[in-house]
Amino acid sequence: MKILQKLKQKVKQLKAEIQVLSIAYSDTRTPWTAKLLIGLTVGYLLSPIDLVPDFIPILGILDDLIIVPLLITASIKLIPAVVLEDARKTALENPKRMKKNNWIVAIFILLIWLLIIYSLYSYFKGKTGYF
């Protein structure tokens, strides 16, 4: 169990980088590829739907232990060092910056998921007689 606790602690440290990522996203010096990956990363983290639901034993925490850290690490590697340093400095100066906008992003992501579900429903309704 000690290994699992260490992994969870590492994930918490990486999740603390989310605010840094959101600041770097809004920086004009950040390349578009990094912005795309940051958008996917933050969207996945704030999404109410996981690829692997948390209630499934062992596999449920798989996304938190593998997918999320990989996305965050890849996003950080794409950000120029100067931008990353400035974003970390800004995050330390204003730690509540992201918390104010968190619910707005969550609602936006939820609307995207609802649109996807509705589109799939409409598509399959026309293809099969089951819906």
Side-chain angles (χ1 to χ4, degrees), residues 15-63:
K15 282 187 175 181
E17 293 288 312
I18 295 301
Q19 184 172 5
V20 173
L21 290 178
S22 70
I23 294 167
Y25 180 86
S26 61
D27 194 314
T28 57
R29 300 172 291 175
T30 303
W32 71 269
T33 53
K35 287 185 178 192
L36 178 66
L37 190 56
I38 292 168
L40 289 172
T41 302
V42 173
Y44 182 76
L45 284 170
L46 295 177
S47 175
I49 300 173
D50 285 340
L51 288 178
V52 182
D54 289 337
F55 63 83
I56 297 174
I58 310 232
L59 293 177
I61 60 170
L62 184 68
D63 65 335

Short mmCIF file of all heavy atoms in Angstrom, two decimals, residues 15-63:
data_model
loop_
_atom_site.label_atom_id
_atom_site.label_comp_id
_atom_site.label_asym_id
_atom_site.label_seq_id
_atom_site.Cartn_x
_atom_site.Cartn_y
_atom_site.Cartn_z
N LYS A 15 -1.28 17.45 -10.26
CA LYS A 15 -2.54 18.18 -10.40
C LYS A 15 -2.40 19.64 -9.96
O LYS A 15 -3.13 20.50 -10.42
CB LYS A 15 -3.66 17.48 -9.61
CG LYS A 15 -4.20 16.27 -10.32
CD LYS A 15 -5.40 15.71 -9.59
CE LYS A 15 -6.01 14.57 -10.37
NZ LYS A 15 -7.19 14.01 -9.70
N ALA A 16 -1.44 19.90 -9.07
CA ALA A 16 -1.18 21.28 -8.67
C ALA A 16 -0.66 22.10 -9.85
O ALA A 16 -0.77 23.32 -9.87
CB ALA A 16 -0.19 21.32 -7.52
N GLU A 17 -0.13 21.42 -10.86
CA GLU A 17 0.37 22.10 -12.05
C GLU A 17 -0.74 22.55 -12.99
O GLU A 17 -0.49 23.24 -13.95
CB GLU A 17 1.33 21.16 -12.80
CG GLU A 17 2.62 20.86 -12.07
CD GLU A 17 3.56 22.05 -12.03
OE1 GLU A 17 3.79 22.66 -13.08
OE2 GLU A 17 4.06 22.35 -10.94
N ILE A 18 -1.96 22.15 -12.72
CA ILE A 18 -3.08 22.51 -13.59
C ILE A 18 -3.25 24.02 -13.68
O ILE A 18 -3.50 24.57 -14.75
CB ILE A 18 -4.38 21.83 -13.13
CG1 ILE A 18 -4.25 20.32 -13.27
CG2 ILE A 18 -5.58 22.32 -13.90
CD1 ILE A 18 -3.96 19.86 -14.68
N GLN A 19 -3.12 24.70 -12.55
CA GLN A 19 -3.24 26.15 -12.58
C GLN A 19 -2.12 26.76 -13.41
O GLN A 19 -2.36 27.69 -14.17
CB GLN A 19 -3.23 26.73 -11.16
CG GLN A 19 -3.46 28.21 -11.15
CD GLN A 19 -3.63 28.78 -9.76
OE1 GLN A 19 -3.49 28.08 -8.78
NE2 GLN A 19 -3.91 30.04 -9.68
N VAL A 20 -0.94 26.20 -13.30
CA VAL A 20 0.19 26.66 -14.11
C VAL A 20 -0.13 26.45 -15.60
O VAL A 20 0.13 27.33 -16.42
CB VAL A 20 1.49 25.93 -13.70
CG1 VAL A 20 2.63 26.29 -14.64
CG2 VAL A 20 1.86 26.26 -12.26
N LEU A 21 -0.71 25.30 -15.91
CA LEU A 21 -1.07 25.03 -17.30
C LEU A 21 -2.11 26.02 -17.83
O LEU A 21 -2.02 26.49 -18.97
CB LEU A 21 -1.59 23.61 -17.46
CG LEU A 21 -0.59 22.48 -17.30
CD1 LEU A 21 -1.28 21.13 -17.42
CD2 LEU A 21 0.54 22.59 -18.30
N SER A 22 -3.08 26.35 -16.99
CA SER A 22 -4.12 27.29 -17.45
C SER A 22 -3.54 28.69 -17.66
O SER A 22 -3.96 29.40 -18.58
CB SER A 22 -5.28 27.33 -16.46
OG SER A 22 -4.92 27.97 -15.27
N ILE A 23 -2.58 29.07 -16.85
CA ILE A 23 -1.93 30.37 -17.04
C ILE A 23 -1.08 30.35 -18.31
O ILE A 23 -1.10 31.29 -19.10
CB ILE A 23 -1.09 30.73 -15.80
CG1 ILE A 23 -2.00 30.95 -14.59
CG2 ILE A 23 -0.23 31.97 -16.06
CD1 ILE A 23 -1.30 31.02 -13.26
N ALA A 24 -0.35 29.26 -18.51
CA ALA A 24 0.49 29.14 -19.72
C ALA A 24 -0.37 29.10 -20.97
O ALA A 24 0.04 29.60 -22.03
CB ALA A 24 1.36 27.89 -19.61
N TYR A 25 -1.56 28.51 -20.86
CA TYR A 25 -2.48 28.45 -22.00
C TYR A 25 -2.84 29.85 -22.50
O TYR A 25 -2.93 30.09 -23.70
CB TYR A 25 -3.73 27.68 -21.61
CG TYR A 25 -4.74 27.57 -22.72
CD1 TYR A 25 -4.64 26.55 -23.66
CD2 TYR A 25 -5.78 28.48 -22.85
CE1 TYR A 25 -5.56 26.43 -24.69
CE2 TYR A 25 -6.70 28.38 -23.88
CZ TYR A 25 -6.58 27.35 -24.79
OH TYR A 25 -7.48 27.25 -25.81
N SER A 26 -3.04 30.76 -21.58
CA SER A 26 -3.46 32.11 -21.97
C SER A 26 -2.28 32.99 -22.40
O SER A 26 -2.48 34.11 -22.87
CB SER A 26 -4.23 32.78 -20.83
OG SER A 26 -3.42 32.89 -19.69
N ASP A 27 -1.07 32.49 -22.27
CA ASP A 27 0.12 33.25 -22.67
C ASP A 27 0.29 33.15 -24.19
O ASP A 27 0.20 32.07 -24.77
CB ASP A 27 1.36 32.68 -21.96
CG ASP A 27 2.55 33.61 -22.05
OD1 ASP A 27 2.84 34.12 -23.16
OD2 ASP A 27 3.20 33.82 -21.01
N THR A 28 0.55 34.28 -24.83
CA THR A 28 0.68 34.31 -26.28
C THR A 28 1.96 33.62 -26.77
O THR A 28 2.05 33.25 -27.94
CB THR A 28 0.67 35.76 -26.80
OG1 THR A 28 1.72 36.49 -26.16
CG2 THR A 28 -0.67 36.42 -26.53
N ARG A 29 2.94 33.43 -25.89
CA ARG A 29 4.19 32.78 -26.27
C ARG A 29 4.08 31.26 -26.31
O ARG A 29 5.00 30.58 -26.75
CB ARG A 29 5.31 33.19 -25.31
CG ARG A 29 5.57 34.70 -25.28
CD ARG A 29 6.53 35.06 -24.20
NE ARG A 29 5.88 34.85 -22.89
CZ ARG A 29 6.48 34.99 -21.73
NH1 ARG A 29 7.76 35.30 -21.69
NH2 ARG A 29 5.83 34.80 -20.61
N THR A 30 2.97 30.73 -25.83
CA THR A 30 2.77 29.27 -25.82
C THR A 30 2.39 28.80 -27.22
O THR A 30 1.47 29.34 -27.83
CB THR A 30 1.67 28.89 -24.83
OG1 THR A 30 2.02 29.39 -23.54
CG2 THR A 30 1.50 27.39 -24.74
N PRO A 31 3.09 27.78 -27.76
CA PRO A 31 2.76 27.28 -29.10
C PRO A 31 1.37 26.65 -29.16
O PRO A 31 0.85 26.17 -28.15
CB PRO A 31 3.83 26.21 -29.36
CG PRO A 31 4.77 26.24 -28.22
CD PRO A 31 4.22 27.10 -27.16
N TRP A 32 0.79 26.62 -30.34
CA TRP A 32 -0.57 26.11 -30.49
C TRP A 32 -0.65 24.63 -30.15
O TRP A 32 -1.69 24.17 -29.67
CB TRP A 32 -1.13 26.40 -31.88
CG TRP A 32 -0.49 25.59 -32.97
CD1 TRP A 32 0.60 25.93 -33.72
CD2 TRP A 32 -0.90 24.31 -33.43
NE1 TRP A 32 0.90 24.93 -34.61
CE2 TRP A 32 -0.02 23.91 -34.45
CE3 TRP A 32 -1.92 23.44 -33.08
CZ2 TRP A 32 -0.11 22.71 -35.13
CZ3 TRP A 32 -2.02 22.23 -33.75
CH2 TRP A 32 -1.14 21.88 -34.75
N THR A 33 0.42 23.87 -30.41
CA THR A 33 0.38 22.44 -30.06
C THR A 33 0.28 22.25 -28.55
O THR A 33 -0.46 21.38 -28.08
CB THR A 33 1.64 21.72 -30.58
OG1 THR A 33 2.81 22.41 -30.14
CG2 THR A 33 1.64 21.63 -32.09
N ALA A 34 0.99 23.09 -27.81
CA ALA A 34 0.92 23.02 -26.35
C ALA A 34 -0.47 23.44 -25.88
O ALA A 34 -1.04 22.83 -24.98
CB ALA A 34 1.99 23.91 -25.72
N LYS A 35 -1.03 24.46 -26.51
CA LYS A 35 -2.36 24.92 -26.13
C LYS A 35 -3.41 23.83 -26.39
O LYS A 35 -4.33 23.65 -25.59
CB LYS A 35 -2.74 26.20 -26.89
CG LYS A 35 -2.00 27.41 -26.40
CD LYS A 35 -2.48 28.67 -27.07
CE LYS A 35 -1.75 29.87 -26.51
NZ LYS A 35 -2.33 31.12 -26.90
N LEU A 36 -3.26 23.11 -27.49
CA LEU A 36 -4.19 22.03 -27.80
C LEU A 36 -4.12 20.94 -26.72
O LEU A 36 -5.16 20.50 -26.20
CB LEU A 36 -3.88 21.45 -29.17
CG LEU A 36 -4.74 20.28 -29.62
CD1 LEU A 36 -6.19 20.74 -29.82
CD2 LEU A 36 -4.20 19.69 -30.90
N LEU A 37 -2.91 20.53 -26.37
CA LEU A 37 -2.75 19.48 -25.36
C LEU A 37 -3.19 19.97 -23.98
O LEU A 37 -3.81 19.23 -23.21
CB LEU A 37 -1.31 18.97 -25.32
CG LEU A 37 -1.08 17.73 -24.48
CD1 LEU A 37 -1.97 16.58 -24.93
CD2 LEU A 37 0.38 17.31 -24.55
N ILE A 38 -2.91 21.22 -23.65
CA ILE A 38 -3.36 21.78 -22.37
C ILE A 38 -4.88 21.79 -22.32
O ILE A 38 -5.48 21.45 -21.30
CB ILE A 38 -2.79 23.21 -22.16
CG1 ILE A 38 -1.28 23.16 -21.95
CG2 ILE A 38 -3.47 23.90 -20.98
CD1 ILE A 38 -0.60 24.52 -22.02
N GLY A 39 -5.52 22.19 -23.41
CA GLY A 39 -6.98 22.19 -23.45
C GLY A 39 -7.56 20.80 -23.23
O GLY A 39 -8.53 20.62 -22.49
N LEU A 40 -6.96 19.81 -23.88
CA LEU A 40 -7.42 18.43 -23.69
C LEU A 40 -7.19 17.96 -22.25
O LEU A 40 -8.05 17.30 -21.67
CB LEU A 40 -6.68 17.49 -24.65
CG LEU A 40 -7.05 17.61 -26.12
CD1 LEU A 40 -6.10 16.78 -26.97
CD2 LEU A 40 -8.48 17.17 -26.33
N THR A 41 -6.05 18.32 -21.70
CA THR A 41 -5.72 17.91 -20.33
C THR A 41 -6.68 18.52 -19.32
O THR A 41 -7.26 17.81 -18.49
CB THR A 41 -4.27 18.32 -19.99
OG1 THR A 41 -3.38 17.72 -20.93
CG2 THR A 41 -3.89 17.88 -18.59
N VAL A 42 -6.85 19.82 -19.38
CA VAL A 42 -7.75 20.49 -18.43
C VAL A 42 -9.19 20.04 -18.65
O VAL A 42 -9.93 19.81 -17.70
CB VAL A 42 -7.61 22.03 -18.56
CG1 VAL A 42 -8.64 22.75 -17.71
CG2 VAL A 42 -6.20 22.46 -18.15
N GLY A 43 -9.57 19.87 -19.90
CA GLY A 43 -10.91 19.37 -20.20
C GLY A 43 -11.16 17.99 -19.62
O GLY A 43 -12.20 17.72 -19.05
N TYR A 44 -10.18 17.11 -19.74
CA TYR A 44 -10.33 15.76 -19.20
C TYR A 44 -10.40 15.79 -17.67
O TYR A 44 -11.19 15.08 -17.07
CB TYR A 44 -9.17 14.87 -19.65
CG TYR A 44 -9.30 13.46 -19.16
CD1 TYR A 44 -10.20 12.59 -19.76
CD2 TYR A 44 -8.57 13.00 -18.08
CE1 TYR A 44 -10.35 11.29 -19.31
CE2 TYR A 44 -8.72 11.71 -17.62
CZ TYR A 44 -9.60 10.86 -18.23
OH TYR A 44 -9.76 9.59 -17.78
N LEU A 45 -9.58 16.63 -17.07
CA LEU A 45 -9.58 16.71 -15.61
C LEU A 45 -10.88 17.28 -15.06
O LEU A 45 -11.35 16.85 -14.00
CB LEU A 45 -8.41 17.56 -15.11
CG LEU A 45 -7.06 16.88 -15.16
CD1 LEU A 45 -5.96 17.87 -14.87
CD2 LEU A 45 -7.01 15.75 -14.16
N LEU A 46 -11.45 18.24 -15.73
CA LEU A 46 -12.67 18.87 -15.24
C LEU A 46 -13.94 18.15 -15.71
O LEU A 46 -15.02 18.45 -15.24
CB LEU A 46 -12.72 20.33 -15.69
CG LEU A 46 -11.64 21.22 -15.11
CD1 LEU A 46 -11.76 22.63 -15.68
CD2 LEU A 46 -11.70 21.26 -13.59
N SER A 47 -13.76 17.20 -16.60
CA SER A 47 -14.91 16.49 -17.13
C SER A 47 -15.54 15.58 -16.07
O SER A 47 -14.83 14.89 -15.34
CB SER A 47 -14.48 15.63 -18.32
OG SER A 47 -15.54 14.84 -18.77
N PRO A 48 -16.85 15.57 -15.98
CA PRO A 48 -17.50 14.69 -15.02
C PRO A 48 -17.50 13.23 -15.46
O PRO A 48 -17.85 12.35 -14.70
CB PRO A 48 -18.93 15.24 -14.96
CG PRO A 48 -19.14 15.91 -16.27
CD PRO A 48 -17.79 16.43 -16.69
N ILE A 49 -17.07 12.97 -16.69
CA ILE A 49 -17.06 11.61 -17.22
C ILE A 49 -15.61 11.16 -17.40
O ILE A 49 -14.83 11.82 -18.08
CB ILE A 49 -17.82 11.55 -18.56
CG1 ILE A 49 -19.26 11.98 -18.35
CG2 ILE A 49 -17.74 10.14 -19.16
CD1 ILE A 49 -20.07 12.13 -19.60
N ASP A 50 -15.25 10.04 -16.78
CA ASP A 50 -13.92 9.46 -16.91
C ASP A 50 -13.93 8.39 -17.99
O ASP A 50 -14.96 7.77 -18.26
CB ASP A 50 -13.47 8.79 -15.60
CG ASP A 50 -13.06 9.80 -14.54
OD1 ASP A 50 -12.76 10.95 -14.92
OD2 ASP A 50 -13.04 9.43 -13.36
N LEU A 51 -12.76 8.13 -18.56
CA LEU A 51 -12.66 7.01 -19.50
C LEU A 51 -12.91 5.70 -18.76
O LEU A 51 -13.55 4.80 -19.28
CB LEU A 51 -11.27 6.97 -20.14
CG LEU A 51 -10.97 8.05 -21.16
CD1 LEU A 51 -9.54 7.92 -21.67
CD2 LEU A 51 -11.93 7.98 -22.32
N VAL A 52 -12.38 5.61 -17.55
CA VAL A 52 -12.60 4.43 -16.70
C VAL A 52 -13.30 4.93 -15.44
O VAL A 52 -12.72 5.67 -14.66
CB VAL A 52 -11.26 3.76 -16.33
CG1 VAL A 52 -11.51 2.52 -15.49
CG2 VAL A 52 -10.45 3.42 -17.57
N PRO A 53 -14.57 4.56 -15.22
CA PRO A 53 -15.29 5.04 -14.04
C PRO A 53 -14.59 4.66 -12.74
O PRO A 53 -14.03 3.58 -12.61
CB PRO A 53 -16.66 4.34 -14.14
CG PRO A 53 -16.79 3.95 -15.57
CD PRO A 53 -15.40 3.71 -16.08
N ASP A 54 -14.61 5.57 -11.77
CA ASP A 54 -13.90 5.38 -10.51
C ASP A 54 -14.46 4.25 -9.65
O ASP A 54 -13.77 3.73 -8.80
CB ASP A 54 -13.89 6.67 -9.70
CG ASP A 54 -12.99 7.73 -10.33
OD1 ASP A 54 -12.08 7.34 -11.09
OD2 ASP A 54 -13.20 8.92 -10.06
N PHE A 55 -15.71 3.85 -9.87
CA PHE A 55 -16.28 2.81 -9.02
C PHE A 55 -15.80 1.40 -9.40
O PHE A 55 -16.02 0.45 -8.67
CB PHE A 55 -17.82 2.85 -9.03
CG PHE A 55 -18.44 2.60 -10.37
CD1 PHE A 55 -18.63 1.30 -10.82
CD2 PHE A 55 -18.83 3.65 -11.17
CE1 PHE A 55 -19.21 1.07 -12.06
CE2 PHE A 55 -19.41 3.43 -12.40
CZ PHE A 55 -19.60 2.14 -12.85
N ILE A 56 -15.10 1.27 -10.53
CA ILE A 56 -14.55 -0.03 -10.90
C ILE A 56 -13.28 -0.25 -10.10
O ILE A 56 -12.34 0.56 -10.19
CB ILE A 56 -14.24 -0.09 -12.42
CG1 ILE A 56 -15.53 0.07 -13.22
CG2 ILE A 56 -13.54 -1.39 -12.78
CD1 ILE A 56 -15.33 0.17 -14.71
N PRO A 57 -13.22 -1.33 -9.31
CA PRO A 57 -12.05 -1.56 -8.46
C PRO A 57 -10.75 -1.62 -9.28
O PRO A 57 -10.70 -2.20 -10.35
CB PRO A 57 -12.33 -2.91 -7.81
CG PRO A 57 -13.79 -3.11 -7.95
CD PRO A 57 -14.22 -2.38 -9.17
N ILE A 58 -9.73 -1.01 -8.78
CA ILE A 58 -8.38 -0.95 -9.33
C ILE A 58 -8.33 -0.21 -10.66
O ILE A 58 -7.60 0.74 -10.79
CB ILE A 58 -7.74 -2.36 -9.48
CG1 ILE A 58 -7.90 -3.09 -8.19
CG2 ILE A 58 -6.33 -2.26 -10.02
CD1 ILE A 58 -6.79 -3.71 -7.51
N LEU A 59 -9.12 -0.61 -11.63
CA LEU A 59 -9.11 0.08 -12.92
C LEU A 59 -9.66 1.50 -12.82
O LEU A 59 -9.31 2.36 -13.62
CB LEU A 59 -9.94 -0.71 -13.94
CG LEU A 59 -9.38 -2.07 -14.36
CD1 LEU A 59 -10.35 -2.75 -15.32
CD2 LEU A 59 -8.02 -1.93 -14.98
N GLY A 60 -10.50 1.74 -11.82
CA GLY A 60 -11.11 3.04 -11.66
C GLY A 60 -10.12 4.15 -11.35
O GLY A 60 -10.34 5.30 -11.72
N ILE A 61 -9.04 3.80 -10.68
CA ILE A 61 -8.03 4.83 -10.39
C ILE A 61 -6.91 4.84 -11.42
O ILE A 61 -5.98 5.61 -11.32
CB ILE A 61 -7.45 4.66 -8.97
CG1 ILE A 61 -6.79 3.30 -8.81
CG2 ILE A 61 -8.49 4.90 -7.91
CD1 ILE A 61 -6.01 3.15 -7.53
N LEU A 62 -7.05 3.98 -12.43
CA LEU A 62 -6.04 3.89 -13.48
C LEU A 62 -5.85 5.22 -14.19
O LEU A 62 -4.72 5.66 -14.43
CB LEU A 62 -6.42 2.80 -14.48
CG LEU A 62 -5.41 2.51 -15.58
CD1 LEU A 62 -4.16 1.89 -14.97
CD2 LEU A 62 -6.02 1.57 -16.60
N ASP A 63 -6.95 5.88 -14.53
CA ASP A 63 -6.82 7.16 -15.23
C ASP A 63 -6.16 8.21 -14.34
O ASP A 63 -5.39 9.03 -14.81
CB ASP A 63 -8.17 7.64 -15.77
CG ASP A 63 -9.17 7.96 -14.68
OD1 ASP A 63 -9.05 7.40 -13.58
OD2 ASP A 63 -10.07 8.77 -14.95
#
